[in-house]
Amino acid sequence: MSDFDPSLMQDFLTESSELIEQLDGDLVKLESSPESEHGEILNACFRALHTIKGAASFLALSDVTDFAHVAEDALNRLRKGEIAVSPQVMDALLQSADVVRGQIEALAEGESTAQAPQDLVDRLHAIVEGSGGGGAAGSSGADAAEAAGGVADDADLPGRSLDLPPQKADLVEFMAADLTEYAGQIDHAVEQLAHDATRSDGVASLDEIADNLSKTAEFFELDELTAVIQALATAAPQLDALPAEHGPDAWVRVRAVGRLIEDQAEWLEKGRALGWPVETFVARLSAAAAGDTLDG
């Protein structure tokens, strides 16, 4: 790396940090979106990871490059409609985004990057080989991949138009700012959850965040957001005693709550309330927090 201008590394860190947040958010969208939208979202996920891998390869960041390549192969099979989206596949991809984020953060701190956990690498290889819980995609999965090449109608915006009385409408921009702030607090709480010494602090933070957000979501009549926040409130107390081997599955789901909240904030500023099909996500968050196996 000494042969490179330090500004190249800084550019990589800045761009990759943005791309990993985009990837994380798109993976959450994938899990809570209709199958007809999967192709377009998967293309965006693939492009983000491919860009990170290419830049890391140029800078000879072998840990990042090698792992991103494995995760990219798994994403590519989904993108082509060769395997279906399943809880096992989604968990592996969400954890992969977390690993790449950790590698980027280590580089930003001037530290050496760590290799990805071997069990996660093995799971990704199993997905690529068709034995990792993905299953073959049906015709709808193939249709979604084919539809990815289409052009979206500009009028086909997500969610619904906000229809609020004036006294509530005037407060929407403040709510959006609060949601964005809470999303960042959730990310910090996840970092605390990952360490035994600070896990209780992380749980307490999530309890407080869920309590505050629940009132806000109900006030603005955002039913889907309310359901996600209630699931977080139920899951948080269980995380303190969660066995270590089940932690990664739960942490990525909690972090995903932050991405959903962040996404809602973005569209509220545009006068839209997102309407995700949240039942599956809520069920998987609950199962992960309880240490249960996520079924396909």
Side-chain angles (χ1 to χ4, degrees):
M1 288 301 303
S2 58
D3 294 336
F4 292 107
D5 187 326
S7 65
L8 292 177
M9 173 61 82
Q10 187 57 53
D11 289 345
F12 167 77
L13 293 174
T14 300
E15 181 181 20
S16 295
S17 295
E18 294 173 354
L19 287 170
I20 202 64
E21 291 303 321
Q22 174 194 318
L23 174 61
D24 209 12
D26 283 338
L27 288 173
V28 174
K29 288 181 186 178
L30 180 67
E31 197 168 37
S32 57
S33 297
E35 193 168 5
S36 61
E37 299 177 8
H38 284 185
E40 182 179 354
I41 297 172
L42 282 166
N43 272 348
C45 291
F46 183 84
R47 286 193 298 270
L49 191 57
H50 184 74
T51 301
I52 292 173
K53 185 196 75 171
S57 177
F58 175 75
L59 294 172
L61 302 172
S62 58
D63 288 339
V64 181
T65 304
D66 293 346
F67 179 68
H69 180 72
V70 177
E72 182 186 57
D73 285 346
L75 262 176
N76 202 27
R77 289 214 64 194
L78 280 174
R79 185 172 69 104
K80 292 180 178 180
E82 296 173 349
I83 57 175
V85 174
S86 74
Q88 291 81 7
V89 171
M90 290 309 305
D91 284 340
L93 292 176
L94 284 165
Q95 289 182 33
S96 296
D98 233 18
V99 167
V100 176
R101 178 186 290 102
Q103 291 175 327
I104 293 169
E105 289 175 350
L107 289 168
E109 295 294 326
E111 301 172 357
S112 299
T113 53
Q115 292 184 338
Q118 188 59 46
D119 65 321
L120 178 56
V121 173
D122 292 341
R123 287 162 60 196
L124 290 170
H125 280 308
I127 290 169
V128 173
E129 294 163 6
S131 58
S139 58
S140 58
D143 290 343
E146 182 177 354
V151 178
D153 186 346
D154 289 341
D156 188 19
L157 296 173
R160 64 184 184 278
S161 178
L162 281 177
D163 184 16
L164 298 171
Q167 65 270 27
K168 290 187 179 181
D170 290 343
L171 299 174
V172 166
E173 67 173 297
F174 300 104
M175 180 200 180
D178 285 346
L179 289 178
T180 300
E181 181 178 345
Y182 281 125
Q185 291 179 15
I186 288 174
D187 285 344
H188 179 64
V190 171
E191 295 175 4
Q192 293 178 310
L193 292 175
H195 303 283
D196 291 341
T198 56
R199 184 171 302 171
S200 294
D201 293 334
V203 169
S205 294
L206 291 175
D207 277 333
E208 182 177 356
I209 291 168
D211 183 55
N212 291 335
L213 278 178
S214 179
K215 298 169 185 174
T216 300
E218 290 174 5
F219 178 78
F220 286 94
E221 302 172 28
L222 301 172
D223 295 339
E224 293 83 3
L225 182 60
T226 297
V228 170
I229 298 307
Q230 289 176 343
L232 178 64
T234 301
Q238 299 174 281
L239 301 176
D240 217 353
L242 191 66
E245 63 270 21
H246 296 297
D249 286 340
W251 310 158
V252 293
R253 298 289 169 184
V254 175
R255 192 185 293 276
V257 172
R259 300 288 74 74
L260 288 172
I261 291 170
E262 200 169 49
D263 207 24
Q264 180 66 91
E266 178 184 348
W267 281 99
L268 281 173
E269 292 175 342
K270 301 173 184 177
R272 308 287 296 183
L274 295 182
W276 315 288
V278 297
E279 293 83 2
T280 299
F281 176 78
V282 165
R284 293 176 185 173
L285 171 61
S286 300
D292 295 336
T293 300
L294 295 167
D295 298 323

